[in-house]
């Protein structure tokens, strides 16, 4: 029985772990192109945003503490699996990161910042990406990387530290017949005389002078302005976040904002004239349509790729840019949002399966899955019950009981055979002494001693039998519970011995560098 039950749960847990830790990421998300299209006519681009690697600023946990290390590991391993199993198998020609690579980037020391950078490179396998895409991996600055305008005036070194690794914050590049324009949105709403703000607007103005530009895609970490309670479409899983702007008390520089201001957004749209806007920052999916002078512009705000940043369904985007000239500029770019597994649901399923495992082991029949044996045993018990009843009935019909009290006051029941009156058809009479042949056989007197506990008067106590039965029942219950607990320990030990190594192997097989 234990062997069968152990094998059953070993198989169930192995399948569960393989799906939750491996196969959940191997799902179908295809590039947004028609099946009749020639893939060589498109540049395939994967877009990722807001990993926000957790650090000492993320939770109220001590730096380098075991709890923080565990949280970091399970957050990092999810993003690494998403990259290795969901994004890279699609073989993108180019990868865009839309900002917020770290959580406490502006306030981290150089050593802490370097440690987070090493984690970021490992999680997203930047070396492999650069080799596969021929160094076409592009980065966009986020507020958790360099802060807002109010921070730049007090700590400008965070800008140089960022640019030393990730390059310029304002730039543009081509992909097929499409031009991508990346701007540092954290500086756009600062004072125009502030150096970083001035540099960002100078870049935007230079881009706007090119009237013969191809179709453009605007890349900004902070979304463009939208009125409060603007619908985000069916892909959003959290409530709508409205505009919120915080300014410093002294110079009134931006300290935080959910969206760019309406004035800045309109100026960006009119200057760049994009056919599509891609943004991040909000951590959840949102699709809105802006009305610009040159026409309607769709903005896709991408959700975070991390399962620890408030989005139940992390995501990334697949984008194709046409290599061929098209009559309608909006047809030059196609997008598809790809949702990743809900990691929290996977962990909840693990917990529920563990509870189910415990309950089933506790209540599972003693014969386990051997149903035919279980049925056979029940039939034998039923037949034995009827046979014993018939035997006792026959014995009771041929016997009578007599109560006898001994010298100590104990009562005894003496079982004696009944006197049988001989019948004329069956008896054999001898002269001078009529006897039955059957009665001549030696009868065995059966004595049943029922020793009853006595009270002070020497008579049996009324509750003595009930107490004796209760003691026996308690002993039987204790033995039953102990046997069940031993079985639980045995089955769980076998299941753990098989599946814990599988779980550890799956974790570190994905974590180590290939």
């Amino acid at each position: 029985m234990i062997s069968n039950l152990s094998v059953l749960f070993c198989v169930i847990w192995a399948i569960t772990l393989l799906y939750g830790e491996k196969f959940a990421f191997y799902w179908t998300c295809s590039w947004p192109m028609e099946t009749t299209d020639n893939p060589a006519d498109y540049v395939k681009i994967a877009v990722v945003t807001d990993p926000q690697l957790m650090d000492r600023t993320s939770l109220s946990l001590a730096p380098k503490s075991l709890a923080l290390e565990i949280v970091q590991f399970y957050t990092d391993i999810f993003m690494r699996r998403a990259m290795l199993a969901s994004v890279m198998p699609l073989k993108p020609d180019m990868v865009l990161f839309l900002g917020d690579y770290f959580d406490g980037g502006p306030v981290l020391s150089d050593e802490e910042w370097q440690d987070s950078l090493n984690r970021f490179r490992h999680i997203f396998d930047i070396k492999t990406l650069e080799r596969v895409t021929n160094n076409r991996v592009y980065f966009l600055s986020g507020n958790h990387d360099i802060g807002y305008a109010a921070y730049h005036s007090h700590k400008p070194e965070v800008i140089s530290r960022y640019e030393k690794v990730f390059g310029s914050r304002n730039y543009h590049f081509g992909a097929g017949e499409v031009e991508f324009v990346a701007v540092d949105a954290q500086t756009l709403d600062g004072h125009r005389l502030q150096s970083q703000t001035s540099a960002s607007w100078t870049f935007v103005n230079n881009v706007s002078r090119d009237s013969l530009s191809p179709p453009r895609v605007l890349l900004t970490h902070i979304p463009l302005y939208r009125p409060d309670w603007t619908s985000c479409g069916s892909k959003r899983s959290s409530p709508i976040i409205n505009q919120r702007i915080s300014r410093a008390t002294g110079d009134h520089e931006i300290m935080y904002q959910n969206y760019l201001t309406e004035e800045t957004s309109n100026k960006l749209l009119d200057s760049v004239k994009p056919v599509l806007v891609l943004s991040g920052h909000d951590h959840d999916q949102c699709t809105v349509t802006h009305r610009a002078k040159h026409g309607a512009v769709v903005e896709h705000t991408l959700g975070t790729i991390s399962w620890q940043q408030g989005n139940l369904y992390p995501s990334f985007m697949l984008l194709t840019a046409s290599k061929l000239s098209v009559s309608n500029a909006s047809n030059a770019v196609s997008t598809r949002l790809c949702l990743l597994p809900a990691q929290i649901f996977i962990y909840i399923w693990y917990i529920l399966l563990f509870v189910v495992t415990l309950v089933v082991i506790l209540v599972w029949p003693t014969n386990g899955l051997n149903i035919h044996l279980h049925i056979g045993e029940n039939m034998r018990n039923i037949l034995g019950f009827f046979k014993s009843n018939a035997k006792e009935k026959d014995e009771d019909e041929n016997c009578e009981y007599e109560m006898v009290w001994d010298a100590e006051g104990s009562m005894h029941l003496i079982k004696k055979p009944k006197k049988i009156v001989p019948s004329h058809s069956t008896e054999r009479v001898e002269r001078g002494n009529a006897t039955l042949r059957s009665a001549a056989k030696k009868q065995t007197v059966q004595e049943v001693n029922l020793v009853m506990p006595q009270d002070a008067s020497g008579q049996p106590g009324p509750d003595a039998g009930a107490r004796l039965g209760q003691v026996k029942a308690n002993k039987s219950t204790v033995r039953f519970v102990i046997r069940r607990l031993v079985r639980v320990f045995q089955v769980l030990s076998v299941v753990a011995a098989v599946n814990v190594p599988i779980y550890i192997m799956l974790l570190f097989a994905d974590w180590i560098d290939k």
Side-chain angles (χ1 to χ4, degrees):
M1 177 277 304
I2 294 179
S3 177
N4 291 337
L5 201 58
S6 301
V7 171
L8 174 65
F9 279 110
C10 282
V11 173
I12 292 175
W13 272 99
I15 294 174
T16 299
L17 292 176
L18 285 172
Y19 174 80
E21 304 298 318
K22 195 78 173 177
F23 299 125
F25 294 87
Y26 289 94
W27 47 273
T28 301
C29 189
S30 58
W31 293 99
M33 61 179 70
E34 299 295 334
T35 55
T36 57
D37 291 344
N38 184 1
D41 294 338
Y42 296 90
V43 178
K44 298 179 293 184
I45 306 170
V47 189
V48 176
T49 189
D50 293 271
Q52 277 189 227
L53 272 62
M54 303 185 76
D55 52 43
R56 63 174 175 82
T57 67
S58 305
L59 302 170
S60 300
L61 300 173
K64 302 297 183 181
S65 63
L66 178 61
L68 181 59
E69 294 289 338
I70 291 175
V71 172
Q72 287 178 343
F73 175 77
Y74 279 96
T75 306
D76 295 355
I77 192 65
F78 176 88
M79 292 186 287
R80 181 168 171 84
R81 284 171 173 167
M83 198 67 191
L84 297 180
S86 299
V87 178
M88 293 184 67
L90 296 171
K91 299 179 180 180
D93 303 314
M94 187 181 299
V95 178
L96 304 181
F97 289 92
L98 298 185
D100 276 3
Y101 315 121
F102 315 124
D103 202 1
V107 301
L108 296 179
S109 66
D110 289 342
E111 181 181 356
E112 292 171 328
W113 196 84
Q114 186 63 44
D115 180 64
S116 293
L117 176 62
N118 293 337
R119 286 169 54 203
F120 174 79
R121 286 172 169 167
H122 172 70
I123 291 168
F124 295 99
D125 203 1
I126 300 299
K127 288 184 178 180
T128 302
L129 280 181
E130 292 175 341
R131 183 179 71 253
V132 171
T133 62
N134 195 22
N135 289 321
R136 289 185 294 179
V137 180
Y138 298 94
F139 302 95
L140 189 65
S141 60
N143 60 292
H144 281 272
D145 303 319
I146 62 174
Y148 291 94
Y151 201 80
H152 301 157
S153 59
H154 297 91
K155 201 172 181 181
E157 59 269 19
V158 298
I159 298 291
S160 58
R161 182 170 67 179
Y162 173 87
E163 289 184 332
K164 184 179 179 180
V165 174
F166 296 102
S168 176
R169 293 168 293 114
N170 297 288
Y171 61 96
H172 59 96
F173 60 92
E177 291 296 317
V178 180
E179 183 181 15
F180 289 80
V181 180
V183 296
D184 179 12
Q186 288 71 230
T187 61
L188 293 178
D189 282 321
H191 292 315
R192 293 300 178 92
L193 297 179
Q194 207 268 351
S195 60
Q196 302 298 337
T197 300
S198 176
S200 295
W201 280 113
T202 298
F203 167 77
V204 172
N205 292 332
N206 291 335
V207 169
S208 66
R209 294 191 182 100
D210 188 0
S211 59
L212 299 177
S213 64
R216 285 173 172 166
V217 175
L218 175 63
L219 307 177
T220 167
H221 175 71
I222 302 176
L224 302 184
Y225 174 81
R226 74 273 318 253
D228 288 352
W229 308 114
T230 298
S231 175
C232 281
S234 60
K235 297 295 185 180
R236 190 174 185 87
S237 59
S238 62
I240 301 297
I241 298 176
N242 293 324
Q243 175 68 294
R244 178 172 56 119
I245 298 179
S246 302
R247 296 183 181 272
T249 55
D251 53 10
H252 299 286
E253 285 282 17
I254 296 288
M255 295 184 65
Y256 183 83
Q257 62 185 146
N258 290 330
Y259 310 135
L260 296 176
T261 61
E262 185 175 9
E263 178 186 1
T264 297
S265 300
N266 290 334
K267 187 172 182 179
L268 270 178
L269 291 174
D270 295 339
S271 300
V272 179
K273 297 180 177 62
V275 298
L276 177 69
V277 178
L278 298 180
S279 58
H281 186 60
D282 200 20
H283 289 195
D284 203 347
Q285 299 76 234
C286 185
T287 300
V288 297
T289 301
H290 302 283
R291 300 297 175 182
K293 292 180 179 180
H294 65 284
V297 180
V298 175
E299 177 183 1
H300 291 302
T301 299
L302 276 66
T304 173
I305 196 173
S306 172
W307 72 281
Q308 284 279 17
Q309 295 299 328
N311 191 348
L312 187 61
Y313 295 96
S315 62
F316 65 95
M317 177 168 281
L318 297 179
L319 182 150
T320 55
S322 177
K323 295 180 180 180
L324 306 176
S325 297
V326 294
S327 57
N328 189 346
S330 60
N331 294 333
V333 180
S334 300
T335 61
R336 177 166 293 162
L337 182 69
C338 301
L339 299 179
L340 292 166
Q343 184 65 55
I344 188 67
F345 288 165
I346 294 176
Y347 289 149
I348 290 175
W349 169 242
Y350 288 169
I351 295 172
L352 292 178
L353 181 58
F354 179 75
V355 173
V356 170
T357 302
L358 286 179
V359 172
V360 171
I361 296 173
L362 283 171
V363 304
W364 197 255
T366 305
N367 288 329
L369 296 177
N370 297 327
I371 299 177
H372 60 286
L373 295 180
H374 186 62
I375 296 175
E377 181 181 351
N378 288 339
M379 293 299 296
R380 287 194 297 272
N381 291 337
I382 294 172
L383 293 175
F385 172 78
F386 285 111
K387 290 180 179 179
S388 62
N389 283 349
K391 182 178 180 180
E392 291 176 1
K393 184 176 180 181
D394 293 340
E395 292 178 351
D396 289 341
E397 289 178 352
N398 298 325
C399 299
E400 61 183 7
Y401 294 88
E402 180 181 353
M403 290 189 297
V404 178
W405 296 86
D406 60 16
E408 297 178 354
S410 299
M411 184 187 71
H412 301 271
L413 292 177
I414 305 300
K415 190 174 183 179
K416 295 182 178 180
K418 290 183 179 180
K419 295 180 179 179
I420 302 176
V421 179
S423 63
H424 295 288
S425 58
T426 58
E427 67 178 359
R428 180 178 178 179
V429 181
E430 294 183 0
R431 187 178 301 272
N433 187 17
T435 61
L436 291 173
R437 288 288 182 183
S438 57
K441 296 182 180 179
K442 184 177 181 180
Q443 300 292 334
T444 302
V445 178
Q446 299 178 355
E447 179 178 315
V448 180
N449 291 319
L450 300 177
V451 180
M452 308 295 292
Q454 304 169 3
D455 55 17
S457 62
Q459 298 299 321
D463 298 331
R467 288 197 300 270
L468 182 60
Q470 184 65 32
V471 170
K472 292 181 178 180
N474 290 340
K475 289 182 179 180
S476 177
T477 301
V478 170
R479 287 194 297 268
F480 175 81
V481 171
I482 292 176
R483 286 195 300 268
R484 290 287 170 157
L485 292 177
V486 170
R487 184 172 73 171
V488 169
F489 176 77
Q490 290 174 334
V491 175
L492 289 182
S493 298
V494 174
V495 174
V498 173
N499 288 281
V500 169
I502 293 177
Y503 178 68
I504 298 299
M505 179 186 66
L506 291 173
L507 280 181
F508 289 97
D510 292 332
W511 185 248
I512 61 175
D513 291 320
K514 304 298 181 181

